[in-house]
Amino acid sequence: MLFRNIALELNPAKRKTEPKKRLRTSKLKRRQALIGIAYALPALLLLVLFRYWPLLFGTWISLWKWGFVPEQFIGLGNYVRIFTEDLIYKDPTFGWQLGPIGQSLLVTLYYAIGTIPPAIMISFFIAYYLFQQRKGMGALRTIFFLPYITSQVAAALVFKWIFHPSVGVANGALERFGLPKQEWLGDPDPVGMKLVTAFGGTWPEWLPAQLGGPTYALIVIMIFTIWNSIGFNIVIFLAGLGNVPADLYEAAKIDGARTVHLMRHVTLPLLSPMLFLLTIVSVIGAFESFNTFYVFSGGEGGPLGTTMSLPLYIFRSFYVYGQVGYAAAVSMVLFTIVLTLTWIQYRFGEKKVHYQH
């Protein structure tokens, strides 16, 4: 900077032209910025129109008693109803019980816990096996990916027939092994309650039955989800495995590392970005799952609400009961839950991710 000022002092003509150059440069940068904004504007308008405006309008609707038309502005009335009546309530006889939203949220939690860890673990082991150079691996990769690209509704209908209590293949297999038939999608008793009864105990009346774990119907939905989702997870893991440097495996083998040690100390740390991505995507997908629950329960969330996920509850509140404002309020609660879980994963999970440099 000092040399530049000295040069300007020694050359007055150059000093006079310097402000003009700055002005031209400023105009050029401003023009380039406007051109960039013009190119991005259509995408920004679409983003605002289809993402942010529905969010803002949904928040506004949630402050109203809104049927199919606005009826009355009630402020936080819908949210008060959610947290004082429909989330949890106190029964005069049985004490604290779960309301419909509380039960739907618990069903969604069971579903997330029962699908995310098994799906990721199974996908990892399958991907690790498929990554090995063996004959027929291309065909196997295609076979495992087919469930993911198959119509979810059509596949769910097939699964529903497999677990039909009268003509289903699942009960046929149980009979073949001398085991009793099950109601599957029609059994309202949680697995925990069944285990307590099987060992001669009785379920406490003061304890909500929903806390006894998932029902067989929900377990069937979990099995279908795992089958349907592993194809996508496998593709992500295969992409990650392809980026692991081969010399790391060779160096570890020279040091005497076995397959288990290679997987634990080399493969998993380098696949941590993929694990992090799949965990976030799977959690969001689990809390937004709708199609599977709708097909398996016929849109009713039965038996006795044991397959009523939170998105299905919102759908029924909106379309079946016409409680548009209330459904919008529940949607805002679900949005807050998903946003909080995502933030927690980023806040604490990203620290354990090892990025390759």
Side-chain angles (χ1 to χ4, degrees), residues 13-98:
K14 186 175 182 181
R15 183 173 56 186
K16 292 179 181 179
T17 59
E18 185 69 19
K20 295 181 180 179
K21 289 182 178 180
R22 290 181 181 177
L23 182 61
R24 286 197 297 269
T25 304
S26 177
K27 289 182 178 180
L28 180 62
K29 289 182 178 180
R30 190 181 302 113
R31 182 183 177 187
Q32 290 175 345
L34 291 175
I35 292 173
I37 293 173
Y39 277 117
L41 191 59
L44 290 174
L45 290 175
L46 290 174
L47 189 65
V48 170
L49 182 62
F50 292 104
R51 183 173 293 271
Y52 296 115
W53 169 245
L55 178 62
L56 295 174
F57 190 54
T59 305
W60 172 248
I61 292 175
S62 70
L63 303 177
W64 286 72
K65 181 182 179 183
W66 192 308
F68 294 104
V69 294
E71 297 176 10
Q72 180 185 359
F73 182 82
I74 58 175
L76 299 177
N78 287 321
Y79 296 95
V80 172
R81 173 186 168 185
I82 290 172
F83 291 102
T84 60
E85 300 177 20
D86 294 343
L87 185 63
I88 188 172
Y89 68 95
K90 190 171 184 180
D91 186 90
T93 305
F94 301 108
W96 290 102
Q97 300 291 318
L98 292 174

XYZ file of all heavy atoms in Angstrom, residues 13-98:
731
model
N -1.057 12.071 -13.161
C -2.053 11.643 -14.160
C -2.692 10.327 -13.749
O -3.906 10.129 -13.880
C -1.386 11.512 -15.528
N -1.858 9.451 -13.240
C -2.387 8.164 -12.794
C -3.287 8.343 -11.587
O -4.275 7.630 -11.419
C -1.224 7.227 -12.469
C -1.656 5.811 -12.140
C -0.449 4.916 -11.945
C -0.904 3.490 -11.671
N 0.252 2.572 -11.441
N -2.941 9.342 -10.750
C -3.756 9.591 -9.565
C -5.151 10.065 -9.956
O -6.142 9.758 -9.303
C -3.063 10.634 -8.693
C -3.788 10.921 -7.396
C -2.973 11.831 -6.514
N -2.630 13.072 -7.239
C -1.826 14.007 -6.749
N -1.251 13.827 -5.570
N -1.570 15.096 -7.446
N -5.254 10.810 -11.051
C -6.563 11.282 -11.493
C -7.414 10.167 -12.076
O -8.639 10.179 -11.972
C -6.378 12.382 -12.534
C -5.778 13.656 -11.970
C -5.608 14.697 -13.050
C -4.985 15.993 -12.491
N -4.802 17.005 -13.537
N -6.781 9.216 -12.737
C -7.553 8.131 -13.361
C -7.925 7.022 -12.368
O -8.777 6.188 -12.677
C -6.735 7.505 -14.506
O -5.491 7.007 -13.972
C -6.437 8.534 -15.582
N -7.299 7.030 -11.205
C -7.559 5.962 -10.242
C -9.022 5.926 -9.766
O -9.646 4.868 -9.745
C -6.621 6.118 -9.041
C -6.716 4.993 -8.011
C -6.166 3.701 -8.564
O -5.410 3.738 -9.562
O -6.507 2.639 -8.012
N -9.631 7.078 -9.384
C -11.050 7.037 -8.974
C -11.972 6.530 -10.082
O -12.967 5.844 -9.819
C -11.352 8.491 -8.607
C -10.023 9.087 -8.283
C -9.056 8.417 -9.201
N -11.635 6.882 -11.352
C -12.475 6.409 -12.461
C -12.414 4.885 -12.585
O -13.425 4.227 -12.838
C -12.015 7.054 -13.764
C -12.205 8.561 -13.786
C -11.755 9.138 -15.113
C -11.945 10.655 -15.142
N -11.496 11.234 -16.426
N -11.225 4.318 -12.385
C -11.093 2.860 -12.445
C -11.890 2.205 -11.321
O -12.544 1.181 -11.520
C -9.624 2.465 -12.348
C -8.803 2.809 -13.577
C -7.369 2.334 -13.415
C -6.549 2.635 -14.661
N -5.146 2.186 -14.513
N -11.809 2.818 -10.134
C -12.571 2.270 -9.009
C -14.063 2.307 -9.289
O -14.798 1.365 -8.969
C -12.269 3.067 -7.736
C -10.869 2.875 -7.185
C -10.700 3.679 -5.921
N -9.350 3.541 -5.385
C -8.917 4.189 -4.306
N -9.735 5.027 -3.673
N -7.681 4.009 -3.880
N -14.527 3.398 -9.875
C -15.945 3.531 -10.200
C -16.363 2.483 -11.223
O -17.427 1.859 -11.078
C -16.219 4.945 -10.729
C -17.680 5.265 -11.062
C -18.529 5.137 -9.797
C -17.800 6.672 -11.651
N -15.528 2.283 -12.271
C -15.849 1.267 -13.276
C -15.869 -0.131 -12.650
O -16.739 -0.946 -12.956
C -14.836 1.333 -14.425
C -15.026 2.514 -15.357
C -14.287 2.288 -16.672
N -12.857 2.186 -16.462
C -12.013 3.215 -16.500
N -12.480 4.441 -16.742
N -10.717 3.036 -16.312
N -14.893 -0.394 -11.768
C -14.859 -1.704 -11.096
C -16.084 -1.910 -10.231
O -16.678 -2.991 -10.189
C -13.584 -1.816 -10.236
O -12.444 -1.588 -11.050
C -13.499 -3.186 -9.591
N -16.486 -0.863 -9.512
C -17.673 -0.955 -8.656
C -18.930 -1.209 -9.487
O -19.772 -2.039 -9.122
C -17.813 0.335 -7.855
O -18.976 0.302 -7.070
N -19.051 -0.509 -10.610
C -20.214 -0.720 -11.475
C -20.225 -2.134 -12.050
O -21.279 -2.770 -12.155
C -20.217 0.301 -12.608
C -20.547 1.709 -12.157
C -20.585 2.648 -13.347
C -20.961 4.063 -12.923
N -20.995 4.994 -14.083
N -19.039 -2.630 -12.422
C -18.950 -3.980 -12.976
C -19.363 -5.022 -11.934
O -20.110 -5.956 -12.249
C -17.523 -4.241 -13.459
C -17.256 -5.619 -14.076
C -18.118 -5.812 -15.316
C -15.769 -5.774 -14.431
N -18.881 -4.869 -10.711
C -19.248 -5.809 -9.653
C -20.744 -5.749 -9.362
O -21.382 -6.782 -9.145
C -18.455 -5.497 -8.385
C -16.971 -5.844 -8.481
C -16.262 -5.559 -7.171
C -14.797 -5.958 -7.254
N -14.074 -5.682 -5.980
N -21.305 -4.524 -9.363
C -22.735 -4.381 -9.107
C -23.533 -5.048 -10.223
O -24.542 -5.721 -9.970
C -23.094 -2.905 -9.000
C -24.526 -2.673 -8.494
C -24.875 -1.196 -8.413
N -23.948 -0.486 -7.537
C -23.091 0.430 -7.941
N -23.014 0.746 -9.233
N -22.303 1.051 -7.091
N -23.077 -4.870 -11.468
C -23.761 -5.492 -12.603
C -23.696 -7.015 -12.516
O -24.685 -7.708 -12.763
C -23.139 -5.005 -13.896
C -23.825 -5.552 -15.132
C -23.109 -5.087 -16.381
N -23.719 -5.662 -17.576
C -23.220 -5.537 -18.791
N -22.091 -4.859 -18.974
N -23.832 -6.098 -19.819
N -22.510 -7.533 -12.185
C -22.375 -8.983 -12.034
C -23.268 -9.519 -10.924
O -23.861 -10.598 -11.050
C -20.909 -9.329 -11.750
C -19.979 -9.114 -12.932
C -18.534 -9.342 -12.570
O -18.171 -9.394 -11.392
N -17.670 -9.481 -13.589
N -23.381 -8.772 -9.819
C -24.249 -9.193 -8.716
C -25.707 -9.229 -9.150
O -26.452 -10.167 -8.823
C -24.065 -8.256 -7.520
N -26.126 -8.205 -9.914
C -27.511 -8.169 -10.396
C -27.794 -9.314 -11.360
O -28.880 -9.909 -11.339
C -27.788 -6.825 -11.068
C -27.829 -5.602 -10.140
C -27.980 -4.316 -10.953
C -28.979 -5.737 -9.135
N -26.812 -9.625 -12.227
C -26.985 -10.747 -13.153
C -27.114 -12.057 -12.379
O -27.960 -12.904 -12.681
C -25.799 -10.815 -14.142
C -25.835 -9.611 -15.084
C -25.835 -12.117 -14.944
C -24.620 -9.511 -15.988
N -26.272 -12.230 -11.338
C -26.367 -13.430 -10.516
C -27.711 -13.552 -9.820
O -28.309 -14.632 -9.773
N -28.204 -12.425 -9.291
C -29.515 -12.436 -8.636
C -30.617 -12.765 -9.639
O -31.562 -13.501 -9.335
C -29.777 -11.074 -7.963
C -28.806 -10.877 -6.790
C -31.222 -10.976 -7.474
C -28.877 -9.497 -6.158
N -30.491 -12.220 -10.864
C -31.503 -12.492 -11.894
C -31.547 -13.973 -12.246
O -32.631 -14.550 -12.446
C -31.210 -11.660 -13.140
N -30.380 -14.610 -12.312
C -30.351 -16.050 -12.604
C -30.943 -16.869 -11.450
O -31.612 -17.884 -11.675
C -28.906 -16.499 -12.869
C -28.439 -16.258 -14.280
C -27.384 -15.391 -14.551
C -29.040 -16.901 -15.359
C -26.948 -15.154 -15.851
C -28.616 -16.671 -16.657
C -27.575 -15.802 -16.898
O -27.160 -15.586 -18.194
N -30.676 -16.438 -10.221
C -31.141 -17.196 -9.052
C -32.586 -16.888 -8.675
O -33.199 -17.647 -7.920
C -30.235 -16.909 -7.852
N -33.128 -15.789 -9.192
C -34.453 -15.352 -8.770
C -35.554 -16.373 -9.029
O -36.396 -16.607 -8.145
C -34.789 -14.021 -9.457
C -36.028 -13.285 -8.920
C -35.848 -12.982 -7.433
C -36.258 -12.000 -9.706
N -35.621 -17.017 -10.209
C -36.690 -18.020 -10.406
C -36.635 -19.152 -9.376
O -37.677 -19.551 -8.839
C -36.413 -18.545 -11.822
C -35.676 -17.449 -12.504
C -34.834 -16.817 -11.444
N -35.433 -19.641 -9.100
C -35.318 -20.709 -8.103
C -35.705 -20.209 -6.716
O -36.361 -20.923 -5.942
C -33.890 -21.256 -8.092
N -35.311 -18.965 -6.389
C -35.667 -18.404 -5.083
C -37.175 -18.229 -4.954
O -37.753 -18.496 -3.894
C -34.963 -17.059 -4.892
C -33.441 -17.106 -4.695
C -32.857 -15.696 -4.657
C -33.099 -17.841 -3.400
N -37.812 -17.783 -6.044
C -39.276 -17.621 -6.014
C -39.973 -18.963 -5.806
O -40.938 -19.067 -5.037
C -39.750 -16.959 -7.307
C -39.379 -15.483 -7.477
C -39.811 -14.984 -8.854
C -40.020 -14.640 -6.383
N -39.504 -19.997 -6.493
C -40.081 -21.325 -6.315
C -39.867 -21.819 -4.885
O -40.764 -22.443 -4.282
C -39.469 -22.306 -7.310
C -39.863 -22.118 -8.781
C -39.057 -23.073 -9.666
C -41.350 -22.372 -8.967
N -38.682 -21.557 -4.330
C -38.391 -21.971 -2.962
C -39.317 -21.286 -1.974
O -39.864 -21.925 -1.064
C -36.931 -21.649 -2.635
C -36.372 -22.200 -1.320
C -36.336 -23.717 -1.350
C -34.984 -21.640 -1.055
N -39.506 -19.985 -2.156
C -40.399 -19.241 -1.257
C -41.840 -19.698 -1.432
O -42.583 -19.873 -0.452
C -40.274 -17.726 -1.528
C -41.354 -16.958 -0.776
C -38.895 -17.234 -1.118
N -42.250 -19.912 -2.680
C -43.642 -20.246 -2.972
C -44.033 -21.622 -2.445
O -45.120 -21.796 -1.874
C -43.879 -20.172 -4.481
C -45.307 -20.450 -4.962
C -46.264 -19.416 -4.401
C -45.357 -20.454 -6.481
N -43.150 -22.604 -2.611
C -43.519 -23.975 -2.285
C -42.921 -24.491 -0.978
O -43.240 -25.608 -0.566
C -43.114 -24.911 -3.424
C -43.895 -24.692 -4.684
C -43.333 -24.024 -5.759
C -45.211 -25.121 -4.782
C -44.058 -23.815 -6.924
C -45.935 -24.910 -5.938
C -45.362 -24.261 -7.008
N -42.052 -23.701 -0.328
C -41.467 -24.180 0.927
C -41.752 -23.231 2.086
O -42.312 -23.628 3.102
C -39.966 -24.394 0.756
C -39.285 -24.955 2.008
C -37.847 -25.306 1.732
N -37.730 -26.412 0.797
C -37.703 -27.682 1.165
N -37.798 -28.016 2.434
N -37.578 -28.643 0.259
N -41.388 -21.976 1.944
C -41.496 -21.055 3.080
C -42.905 -20.494 3.241
O -43.380 -20.306 4.367
C -40.474 -19.921 2.930
C -39.058 -20.425 2.978
C -38.227 -20.338 1.870
C -38.552 -21.012 4.130
C -36.927 -20.811 1.907
C -37.256 -21.493 4.173
C -36.447 -21.393 3.060
O -35.169 -21.877 3.116
N -43.581 -20.208 2.126
C -44.939 -19.696 2.240
C -45.882 -20.723 2.871
O -46.665 -20.360 3.758
C -45.465 -19.251 0.881
C -46.941 -18.970 0.874
C -47.905 -19.642 0.196
C -47.623 -17.948 1.622
N -49.143 -19.129 0.461
C -49.002 -18.078 1.339
C -47.199 -16.963 2.509
C -49.950 -17.245 1.902
C -48.163 -16.121 3.075
C -49.513 -16.262 2.760
N -45.858 -22.015 2.475
C -46.720 -22.986 3.168
C -46.417 -23.076 4.666
O -47.328 -23.248 5.472
C -46.397 -24.314 2.458
C -45.938 -23.914 1.112
C -45.181 -22.634 1.321
N -45.136 -22.962 5.042
C -44.782 -23.006 6.459
C -45.380 -21.822 7.206
O -45.975 -21.984 8.286
C -43.256 -23.029 6.608
C -42.707 -23.040 8.040
C -43.149 -24.288 8.769
C -41.189 -22.933 8.018
N -45.249 -20.627 6.638
C -45.800 -19.434 7.289
C -47.326 -19.467 7.316
O -47.950 -19.126 8.325
C -45.314 -18.179 6.558
C -43.806 -17.911 6.619
C -43.438 -16.726 5.727
C -43.366 -17.654 8.051
N -47.922 -19.903 6.203
C -49.387 -19.951 6.149
C -49.937 -21.025 7.085
O -50.974 -20.843 7.721
C -49.837 -20.221 4.714
C -51.316 -20.048 4.511
C -51.947 -18.872 4.870
C -52.079 -21.064 3.965
C -53.307 -18.707 4.687
C -53.434 -20.919 3.773
C -54.062 -19.729 4.136
N -49.223 -22.170 7.186
C -49.633 -23.207 8.128
C -49.572 -22.727 9.563
O -50.445 -23.057 10.389
N -48.543 -21.937 9.884
C -48.454 -21.361 11.228
C -49.630 -20.432 11.500
O -50.209 -20.437 12.593
C -47.124 -20.599 11.383
O -46.036 -21.478 11.070
C -46.967 -20.083 12.788
N -49.993 -19.641 10.497
C -51.136 -18.735 10.652
C -52.444 -19.523 10.841
O -53.261 -19.187 11.703
C -51.226 -17.821 9.431
C -52.461 -16.960 9.365
C -53.485 -17.060 8.479
C -52.787 -15.866 10.229
N -54.439 -16.102 8.721
C -54.037 -15.351 9.802
C -52.156 -15.280 11.328
C -54.651 -14.273 10.420
C -52.771 -14.195 11.950
C -54.002 -13.708 11.500
N -52.636 -20.565 10.055
C -53.855 -21.385 10.178
C -53.944 -22.015 11.564
O -55.038 -22.153 12.134
C -53.875 -22.471 9.085
C -54.049 -21.843 7.706
C -54.989 -23.487 9.333
C -53.958 -22.848 6.570
N -52.789 -22.407 12.142
C -52.802 -23.083 13.438
C -53.300 -22.187 14.561
O -53.598 -22.676 15.659
C -51.391 -23.585 13.775
O -50.519 -22.513 14.068
N -53.398 -20.886 14.308
C -53.879 -19.954 15.327
C -55.382 -19.716 15.223
O -55.928 -18.880 15.950
C -53.144 -18.611 15.194
C -51.609 -18.677 15.292
C -51.004 -17.304 15.064
C -51.178 -19.236 16.635
N -56.037 -20.470 14.354
C -57.465 -20.291 14.112
C -58.240 -21.569 14.422
O -57.699 -22.671 14.337
C -57.719 -19.926 12.646
C -57.338 -18.527 12.290
C -56.079 -18.027 12.172
C -58.232 -17.454 12.000
N -56.122 -16.704 11.817
C -57.426 -16.326 11.702
C -59.613 -17.331 11.961
C -57.987 -15.089 11.370
C -60.164 -16.097 11.623
C -59.347 -14.994 11.344
N -59.500 -21.375 14.774
C -60.452 -22.481 14.703
C -60.924 -22.493 13.256
O -61.768 -21.707 12.844
C -61.618 -22.266 15.663
C -62.625 -23.414 15.644
C -63.787 -23.151 16.578
C -64.790 -24.308 16.517
N -65.981 -24.043 17.360
N -60.365 -23.408 12.505
C -60.477 -23.371 11.043
C -61.011 -24.714 10.588
O -60.344 -25.732 10.692
C -59.105 -23.093 10.443
C -59.075 -22.738 8.981
C -59.650 -23.425 7.962
C -58.400 -21.627 8.396
N -59.388 -22.824 6.778
C -58.616 -21.701 7.005
C -57.631 -20.579 8.899
C -58.099 -20.767 6.130
C -57.122 -19.651 8.021
C -57.344 -19.734 6.647
N -62.270 -24.695 10.102
C -62.797 -25.898 9.491
C -62.332 -25.920 8.051
O -61.157 -25.899 7.763
N -63.286 -25.953 7.144
C -62.911 -25.804 5.743
C -62.837 -24.330 5.354
O -62.381 -23.982 4.276
C -63.891 -26.562 4.853
C -63.828 -28.045 5.063
C -64.805 -28.708 5.769
C -62.760 -28.778 4.577
C -64.741 -30.077 5.974
C -62.679 -30.142 4.780
C -63.671 -30.793 5.478
N -63.292 -23.469 6.253
C -63.155 -22.018 6.116
C -62.779 -21.464 7.483
O -63.034 -22.096 8.514
C -64.479 -21.365 5.635
C -64.815 -21.798 4.221
C -65.626 -21.695 6.582
N -62.144 -20.281 7.546
C -61.814 -19.694 8.851
C -63.081 -19.402 9.655
O -64.061 -18.874 9.128
C -61.072 -18.409 8.474
C -60.640 -18.591 7.054
C -61.650 -19.476 6.419
N -63.061 -19.764 10.945
C -64.228 -19.570 11.783
C -63.972 -18.565 12.911
O -64.782 -17.659 13.129
C -64.667 -20.911 12.393
C -65.093 -21.935 11.346
C -65.419 -23.280 11.962
O -65.497 -23.380 13.206
O -65.586 -24.257 11.202
N -62.842 -18.733 13.621
C -62.585 -17.859 14.758
C -61.096 -17.865 15.085
O -60.468 -18.918 15.129
C -63.394 -18.332 15.985
C -63.197 -17.479 17.218
C -63.917 -18.036 18.425
O -64.598 -19.070 18.329
N -63.796 -17.369 19.545
N -60.544 -16.693 15.334
C -59.141 -16.606 15.747
C -59.056 -16.957 17.228
O -59.666 -16.303 18.078
C -58.601 -15.198 15.496
C -57.153 -15.035 15.856
C -56.159 -15.441 14.979
C -56.783 -14.491 17.079
C -54.818 -15.304 15.301
C -55.449 -14.346 17.414
C -54.465 -14.759 16.521
N -58.281 -18.001 17.554
C -58.195 -18.461 18.948
C -56.770 -18.405 19.485
O -56.483 -18.919 20.567
C -58.744 -19.899 19.085
C -57.976 -20.857 18.162
C -60.222 -19.936 18.811
C -58.395 -22.309 18.330
N -55.856 -17.794 18.740
C -54.489 -17.656 19.230
C -53.818 -19.009 19.437
O -53.733 -19.825 18.529
N -53.366 -19.260 20.651
C -52.665 -20.503 20.975
C -53.616 -21.589 21.479
O -53.182 -22.564 22.091
C -51.591 -20.230 22.033
C -50.487 -19.244 21.628
C -49.531 -19.010 22.797
C -49.712 -19.749 20.410
N -54.895 -21.440 21.211
C -55.884 -22.396 21.712
C -55.644 -23.823 21.247
O -55.777 -24.780 22.027
N -55.274 -23.992 19.987
C -54.995 -25.338 19.476
C -53.791 -25.953 20.170
O -53.783 -27.165 20.457
C -54.755 -25.282 17.962
C -56.027 -25.038 17.177
O -57.080 -25.581 17.509
N -55.940 -24.208 16.149
N -52.780 -25.140 20.443
C -51.587 -25.652 21.122
C -51.880 -25.990 22.578
O -51.343 -26.969 23.121
C -50.452 -24.631 21.028
C -49.989 -24.385 19.624
C -50.487 -23.321 18.870
C -49.056 -25.224 19.028
C -50.060 -23.106 17.572
C -48.620 -25.008 17.724
C -49.140 -23.949 17.001
O -48.729 -23.738 15.698
N -52.739 -25.198 23.218
C -53.148 -25.509 24.592
C -53.880 -26.845 24.630
O -53.647 -27.681 25.517
C -54.040 -24.384 25.157
C -54.633 -24.792 26.508
C -53.244 -23.091 25.288
N -54.742 -27.079 23.657
C -55.455 -28.361 23.584
C -54.481 -29.520 23.402
O -54.643 -30.584 24.028
C -56.443 -28.328 22.420
C -57.116 -29.663 22.150
C -57.974 -29.607 20.906
N -58.385 -30.947 20.495
C -59.065 -31.199 19.372
N -59.408 -30.211 18.556
N -59.402 -32.447 19.063
N -53.461 -29.323 22.577
C -52.487 -30.389 22.321
C -51.783 -30.792 23.609
O -51.694 -31.984 23.953
C -51.465 -29.941 21.261
C -52.133 -29.844 19.885
C -50.283 -30.912 21.206
C -51.253 -29.224 18.822
N -51.281 -29.804 24.363
C -50.418 -30.105 25.503
C -51.174 -30.335 26.808
O -50.593 -30.840 27.770
C -49.397 -28.984 25.689
C -48.366 -28.928 24.594
C -48.457 -27.985 23.586
C -47.322 -29.833 24.568
C -47.520 -27.933 22.569
C -46.371 -29.799 23.547
C -46.477 -28.849 22.550
N -52.458 -29.995 26.855
C -53.213 -30.208 28.098
C -54.251 -31.322 27.999
O -54.693 -31.833 29.028
C -53.933 -28.908 28.511
O -54.840 -28.502 27.470
C -52.930 -27.801 28.779
N -54.621 -31.711 26.775
C -55.655 -32.734 26.620
C -55.193 -33.927 25.784
O -55.352 -35.078 26.202
C -56.911 -32.127 25.965
C -57.546 -30.994 26.754
C -58.730 -30.402 26.020
O -59.277 -31.085 25.129
O -59.099 -29.248 26.312
N -54.620 -33.655 24.620
C -54.379 -34.729 23.658
C -52.990 -35.356 23.756
O -52.768 -36.422 23.195
C -54.578 -34.195 22.231
C -56.027 -33.820 21.977
O -56.885 -34.263 22.763
O -56.298 -33.072 21.016
N -52.067 -34.709 24.445
C -50.746 -35.306 24.628
C -50.756 -36.268 25.807
O -50.362 -37.430 25.693
C -49.695 -34.215 24.827
C -48.245 -34.695 24.918
C -47.816 -35.354 23.607
C -47.317 -33.532 25.254
N -51.201 -35.801 26.941
C -51.310 -36.619 28.152
C -52.406 -36.013 29.020
O -52.586 -34.795 29.048
C -49.958 -36.670 28.899
C -50.012 -37.670 30.051
C -49.521 -35.301 29.357
C -48.660 -37.914 30.701
N -53.160 -36.858 29.703
C -54.254 -36.380 30.549
C -54.371 -37.276 31.779
O -53.830 -38.385 31.809
C -55.572 -36.362 29.774
C -56.094 -37.734 29.412
C -57.019 -38.392 30.215
C -55.654 -38.381 28.253
C -57.488 -39.664 29.898
C -56.113 -39.641 27.924
C -57.034 -40.274 28.752
O -57.485 -41.528 28.434
N -55.061 -36.798 32.785
C -55.220 -37.546 34.030
C -56.620 -38.122 34.115
O -57.608 -37.393 34.165
C -54.941 -36.658 35.240
C -54.842 -37.436 36.546
C -54.364 -36.564 37.676
C -54.177 -37.398 38.946
N -53.697 -36.552 40.082
N -56.708 -39.456 34.112
C -57.983 -40.148 34.235
C -58.345 -40.294 35.708
O -57.483 -40.632 36.525
C -57.892 -41.529 33.572
C -59.226 -42.232 33.529
O -59.953 -42.064 32.546
O -59.536 -42.968 34.493
N -59.610 -40.038 36.088
C -59.989 -40.147 37.502
C -59.773 -41.539 38.085
O -59.528 -41.687 39.292
C -61.482 -39.789 37.495
C -61.692 -39.015 36.230
C -60.719 -39.561 35.251
N -59.829 -42.582 37.244
C -59.701 -43.954 37.736
C -58.284 -44.491 37.582
O -57.714 -45.054 38.524
C -60.679 -44.878 36.991
O -62.009 -44.358 37.108
C -60.625 -46.290 37.568
N -57.705 -44.324 36.412
C -56.416 -44.955 36.104
C -55.220 -44.001 36.182
O -54.099 -44.410 35.918
C -56.471 -45.581 34.702
C -57.554 -46.608 34.553
C -58.682 -46.338 33.798
C -57.454 -47.835 35.185
C -59.687 -47.277 33.653
C -58.450 -48.781 35.052
C -59.575 -48.502 34.290
N -55.466 -42.749 36.524
C -54.365 -41.808 36.644
C -53.940 -41.247 35.302
O -54.746 -41.112 34.384
N -52.661 -40.944 35.161
C -52.150 -40.324 33.939
C -52.179 -41.314 32.780
O -51.721 -42.431 32.906
C -50.725 -39.826 34.144
C -50.642 -38.639 35.068
C -50.267 -38.650 36.374
C -50.982 -37.291 34.752
N -50.339 -37.385 36.901
C -50.774 -36.523 35.920
C -51.439 -36.643 33.596
C -51.002 -35.152 35.965
C -51.671 -35.284 33.636
C -51.450 -34.556 34.812
N -52.737 -40.865 31.675
C -52.849 -41.688 30.474
C -52.397 -40.896 29.253
O -52.394 -39.654 29.260
C -54.300 -42.157 30.266
C -54.860 -42.999 31.395
C -54.204 -44.364 31.481
O -53.969 -45.015 30.466
N -53.898 -44.795 32.691
N -52.027 -41.619 28.223
C -51.628 -40.971 26.976
C -52.854 -40.577 26.172
O -53.776 -41.380 25.992
C -50.739 -41.905 26.146
C -49.352 -42.216 26.696
C -48.674 -43.264 25.810
C -48.492 -40.966 26.769
